[in-house]
Amino acid sequence: LKHVARVAAADVAEVVREEAGRLGGQVEAVQALQRASAEAQGDRGAALEGRAREAEERAAQLNDTVGRLTAQLRQQADTIAALKAAEQASAAAAGKGGRPLARTVVDEDHPSRWRQQSFHRAGAYGFIQYSAYRLSASRMAVVGLGALGLRAKRRVEGCWWHRLDGRTVIAGKLTQMVMEEHHNYLYELVVLQCELEEEVEETGGHLRIFLDRQVLYPYREDGKEKVERGDGPLPFRFAFCGPPMHAEMEQRSVLQFVDYHRLAAGYDHFVLYDATGVPPALTAALQPLLDAGLLTVADFREAYQYDSWYFAQAVAMHDCLYRMRQQADWVAFHDLDEYLAVPPPASVPALLERFASLPYITLGMHVFSAHLCEEGPEDVWGAEEKRFAVERMVQRRKQPYCLRGEDDPKVCVDYYGHRKMFLNPRKVEAVYVHRTDKPATGGVDLSVDEMYFAHVRSLTGKGAACRPPVDKENEASPEELERCTTVADTAARARECAQEGFSNQFLCKPRATR
């Protein structure tokens, strides 16, 4: 029995030891889990503290950015106000002795743009006004930009003219015109036109538009002037409408462009659009032209900042088209590196007289090199250089510009021929860069044998004239070029006539008879 008891006691002790060992392992496991949980909570707390510090730093950075942007916006607003005052003074100077420039007053108490939500949840403006004009006694037009994604949703509801007495209201029909090209941008050209049910002879009153359940007051008149009907001579015979102008443009290239076309083409007024802020040096150089009523510089910086095709050039073109409607017989649309070439015996006045009944004349394009120049001073724009810079640029591609091989390159039309235009602003309602619309037909596409534009590529860029090209891929090879002095001869004739005191070359005798 003692032996049995000893064996049983040993077995029990072994079982107890095994159970104690198992329980001890469990206790250690629980303790390890507790230690791991404490460490995890500590790491999480540290991570949360780090994130909180990062959020505080980002908030401080955002506050600094908002303060800086607010200061910039205030400075831009002051600059824009000063430029608007200068533009109004320029318009008043240009209107001396004739009709004042078209009015573009906007009622500041009734903002002309509002924020809507586009289909992709990003904020977009339904309509952004740039300018407004009276086209006739019963028609007004408002030029601006609209969000492309909201075109289908934009509801054009109505327009009314409120007379100055505050009691008489004339209803009208509101229509919109949009640009049907370049749909990969956020904004597109939008022109709102109001056709009143009856003519309004006096000018006192304001226009009210109901668009997308929003009320706009885009145009008003103070009643001090009579509505012009276009009778009698207009202030300008042949005006120029330029594209948006950038700060990096060479100052002297702009001045020579104006002088060349004033003397060689007979342009008697120029409209330029300041897209990025005209440098002080260029402003000072242009001031004599502003004072003489030869130049108008429109502030275009607000329209330029929106994402639209080619820096909102379509807005500038339609603004100038309506601006010159009762100011000029003809307007020319082309770029500042495109020079009108007038081969003898061609004459711009004779051309305009020949096609006086047509709405437009389109001209083809020859591409000239601004880099391959004849010998001359190192600084082609230098003050000691009496000639025009284009008098040294006599290398051009052998064939006129044409992207379609099946077309005659001499009359290659529209975009394919890089055509630019002379327009009668009272006979054209809409215009694209290389063609017209409303009407799209009824004009003439001139052959380059009669007259053309010389595209002197990159001439307006700083340091581009008679210098090695930056973009060599677009430069023609020597076998693609030929020597042509048409532009150089046109510039030389114009310069000689100016030296004799004539305002343009068409007023003096041709060189062969002098």
Side-chain angles (χ1 to χ4, degrees):
L1 290 173
K2 291 181 180 179
H3 176 72
V4 172
R6 284 196 298 270
V7 171
D11 291 340
V12 170
E14 183 65 24
V15 171
V16 169
R17 284 195 297 271
E18 291 178 357
E19 187 66 20
R22 186 177 65 81
L23 291 175
Q26 291 181 353
V27 169
E28 291 179 358
V30 170
Q31 291 175 348
L33 288 174
Q34 290 176 346
R35 288 194 299 270
S37 176
E39 291 175 358
Q41 290 180 357
D43 293 341
R44 183 178 180 185
L48 290 176
E49 291 179 359
R51 291 181 182 178
R53 285 194 298 271
E54 291 178 359
E56 291 176 356
E57 293 175 357
R58 290 180 61 186
Q61 293 176 356
L62 288 175
N63 288 334
D64 294 341
T65 302
V66 169
R68 186 173 64 257
L69 292 176
T70 302
Q72 291 178 358
L73 288 174
R74 289 174 180 171
Q75 183 179 2
Q76 290 179 1
D78 295 340
T79 305
I80 290 172
L83 286 174
K84 285 183 177 180
E87 182 183 352
Q88 291 174 0
S90 171
K96 291 181 179 179
R99 305 174 188 182
L101 292 179
R103 296 171 293 276
T104 60
V105 178
V106 179
D107 192 338
E108 298 296 341
D109 296 332
H110 301 86
S112 59
R113 63 171 178 258
W114 64 95
R115 178 171 291 278
Q116 294 193 18
Q117 296 299 317
S118 62
F119 59 90
H120 51 73
R121 298 183 181 179
Y125 289 108
F127 181 70
I128 308 163
Q129 177 181 334
Y130 176 68
S131 59
Y133 297 95
R134 178 192 279 271
L135 304 183
S136 68
S138 60
R139 293 178 63 215
M140 285 86 171
V142 186
V143 182
L145 291 167
L148 176 63
L150 299 177
R151 180 199 291 180
K153 301 179 182 179
R154 190 181 300 121
R155 293 194 293 180
V156 181
E157 300 177 67
C159 60
W160 298 264
W161 178 257
H162 295 252
R163 294 184 188 270
L164 196 62
D165 57 20
R167 295 187 299 272
T168 308
V169 178
I170 302 174
K173 179 181 179 181
L174 183 66
T175 58
Q176 74 166 338
M177 178 185 70
V178 298
M179 195 171 186
E180 296 291 347
E181 295 179 330
H182 316 293
H183 289 178
N184 54 333
Y185 293 89
L186 181 58
Y187 290 97
E188 63 182 350
L189 168 75
V190 175
V191 177
L192 303 175
Q193 290 197 4
C194 178
E195 181 75 35
L196 300 178
E197 295 178 351
E198 59 183 82
E199 293 187 349
V200 180
E201 296 293 340
E202 70 280 0
T203 59
H206 64 267
L207 178 66
R208 178 167 62 95
I209 287 177
F210 199 36
L211 181 69
D212 279 341
R213 297 183 180 179
Q214 301 286 335
V215 180
L216 284 73
Y217 295 82
Y219 179 74
R220 66 180 180 184
E221 296 171 343
D222 56 14
K224 297 180 180 180
E225 299 172 0
K226 295 294 291 183
V227 176
E228 298 289 353
R229 289 181 169 273
D231 301 329
L234 298 175
F236 309 116
R237 171 61 175 161
F238 197 13
F240 167 75
C241 292
M245 187 170 56
H246 307 278
E248 64 269 16
M249 286 186 173
E250 173 63 53
Q251 168 186 333
R252 290 164 292 184
S253 71
V254 177
L255 295 177
Q256 282 210 4
F257 175 90
V258 172
D259 284 341
Y260 174 93
H261 288 90
R262 178 174 60 86
L263 298 170
Y267 295 180
D268 53 0
H269 194 76
F270 296 79
V271 182
L272 301 179
Y273 290 83
D274 174 19
T276 57
V278 178
L282 181 56
T283 301
L286 295 177
Q287 193 59 48
L289 302 176
L290 292 166
D291 295 339
L294 186 65
L295 173 66
T296 296
V297 178
D299 184 7
F300 201 66
R301 289 176 296 174
E302 183 178 0
Y304 178 80
Q305 69 180 330
Y306 294 98
D307 179 40
S308 60
W309 176 79
Y310 213 74
F311 314 112
Q313 183 171 352
V315 174
M317 294 180 70
H318 284 81
D319 173 83
C320 197
L321 179 66
Y322 298 142
R323 182 189 294 261
M324 291 289 106
R325 188 178 181 89
Q326 298 298 337
Q327 299 296 311
D329 295 322
W330 290 86
V331 292
F333 284 90
H334 57 99
D335 291 339
L336 295 176
D337 59 356
E338 295 168 348
Y339 279 63
L340 182 63
V342 189
S347 166
V348 174
L351 179 74
L352 300 181
E353 185 65 27
R354 174 182 163 194
F355 298 113
S357 61
L358 300 184
Y360 64 85
I361 306 168
T362 72
L363 280 70
M365 192 76 62
H366 268 293
V367 178
F368 280 67
S369 174
H371 311 288
L372 301 176
C373 300
E374 290 189 332
E375 293 298 325
E378 181 179 353
D379 183 6
V380 70
W381 301 114
E384 73 282 0
E385 175 60 36
K386 302 301 181 183
R387 296 187 300 172
F388 286 104
V390 291
E391 291 187 61
R392 291 179 52 194
M393 301 169 188
V394 296
Q395 295 293 327
R396 76 175 187 185
R397 291 182 181 266
K398 295 179 181 180
Q399 291 295 325
Y401 190 98
C402 188
L403 295 179
R404 291 197 305 195
E406 64 271 21
D407 291 347
D408 181 358
K410 293 184 178 181
V411 288
C412 193
V413 298
D414 297 345
Y415 162 79
Y416 303 101
H418 206 75
R419 291 247 151 186
K420 297 300 173 72
M421 299 155 289
F422 301 157
L423 305 180
N424 182 330
R426 286 159 304 285
K427 295 183 179 181
V428 176
E429 294 290 333
V431 59
Y432 293 95
V433 175
H434 302 296
R435 63 183 177 88
T436 63
D437 192 19
K438 297 183 181 180
T441 60
V444 60
D445 299 313
L446 212 62
S447 169
V448 296
D449 290 336
E450 294 190 59
M451 199 176 296
Y452 62 89
F453 284 108
H455 189 182
V456 192
R457 280 180 172 169
S458 304
L459 180 61
T460 58
K462 291 184 177 180
C466 299
R467 297 288 191 275
V470 176
D471 182 11
K472 296 184 179 180
E473 294 184 0
N474 287 327
E475 279 294 300
S477 60
E479 58 271 14
E480 295 178 304
L481 298 174
E482 64 180 3
R483 191 173 187 275
C484 176
T485 62
T486 301
V487 180
D489 292 341
T490 302
R493 287 197 305 272
R495 177 170 47 81
E496 292 174 3
C497 291
Q499 292 171 353
E500 295 183 11
F502 294 97
S503 60
N504 63 67
Q505 66 161 329
F506 308 114
L507 300 179
C508 63
K509 296 180 180 179
R511 184 186 307 175
T513 62
R514 292 158 67 183

